[in-house]
Amino acid sequence: MSDSSPTAPAVPLVIDVWCELQCPDCRTALDDVSALRARYGDRAELRLRHFPLEKHKHAFAAAQAAEEALAQGKGWEYVEAVLDRVEDLDRTGEPLLVEVARELGLDAEEFDTALIDGRHILIVDADQAEGKAIGVTGTPTYVVGGERMDGGKSQDGLRERVEEIADRLLAG
């Protein structure tokens, strides 16, 4: 039996953000992600979902590294730092992923180990499979209340559409 008393904590609205850390469009979307986090605070959970694209050879490792950052408590901070250096990631690959972890005060050795032992591969694979199943074809893509919005082609008006759906769902 569920507790529907006013003291029961409200379950936040989930906004899935399908992202790829070697994607320049996802870097552009960071402003939208920051604005959404500021607007909704703890009323909505922006959940990072991975959709590494085959054309970006370091994207799969970057997704695993983001999961390690999440495990160490700095998931979005790490994502933003890597996306800010997307050109460096193109050139440098995995050493950049460890370097960014070190710069953020994370356990860089643990990052290196995580990339070698593949402890986060299943999470990334599951995200990618779910993304394909619901029709994600590019990044960034948002899913709110079962509605998918693809920002891979154009991000014009995307945040407004996400907010419109989120506001409607939060109003109940």
Side-chain angles (χ1 to χ4, degrees):
M1 188 163 78
S2 67
D3 180 8
S4 59
S5 68
T7 57
V11 175
L13 173 69
V14 173
I15 301 173
D16 280 331
V17 183
W18 298 86
C19 186
E20 199 246 59
L21 298 191
Q22 205 176 341
C23 169
D25 289 334
C26 287
R27 177 176 52 197
T28 305
L30 282 178
D31 288 343
D32 288 343
V33 169
S34 296
L36 290 167
R37 285 172 43 205
R39 177 177 176 125
Y40 296 110
D42 59 5
R43 294 183 306 143
E45 175 191 353
L46 267 76
R47 192 167 57 177
L48 175 65
R49 305 300 300 273
H50 303 289
F51 200 76
L53 303 170
E54 285 183 23
K55 66 181 179 180
H56 293 141
K57 64 182 176 182
H58 305 299
F60 195 80
Q64 293 177 71
E67 282 299 314
E68 181 59 30
L70 192 63
Q72 292 190 32
K74 292 190 176 179
W76 278 110
E77 194 176 337
Y78 183 82
V79 166
E80 291 172 12
V82 172
L83 283 171
D84 278 343
R85 296 169 66 179
V86 78
E87 291 85 3
D88 291 345
L89 181 57
D90 284 344
R91 284 191 303 275
T92 313
E94 290 186 24
L96 176 80
L97 300 172
V98 177
E99 181 183 321
V100 170
R102 188 174 292 112
E103 289 168 3
L104 292 175
L106 297 169
D107 184 338
E109 286 182 27
E110 197 60 31
F111 264 78
D112 206 28
T113 303
L115 290 170
I116 293 166
D117 71 19
R119 68 183 72 161
H120 302 295
I121 286 176
L122 290 177
I123 293 170
V124 177
D125 281 346
D127 274 3
Q128 193 168 35
E130 183 181 335
K132 285 178 181 174
I134 65 169
V136 174
T137 56
T139 56
T141 294
Y142 299 85
V143 177
V144 187
E147 294 189 49
R148 188 184 77 242
M149 287 146 285
D150 181 2
K153 294 178 182 66
S154 171
Q155 295 179 52
D156 291 343
L158 194 60
R159 183 171 83 210
E160 292 77 11
R161 287 174 46 219
V162 171
E163 289 173 348
E164 185 181 303
I165 295 165
D167 289 346
R168 185 180 73 232
L169 293 170
L170 288 169

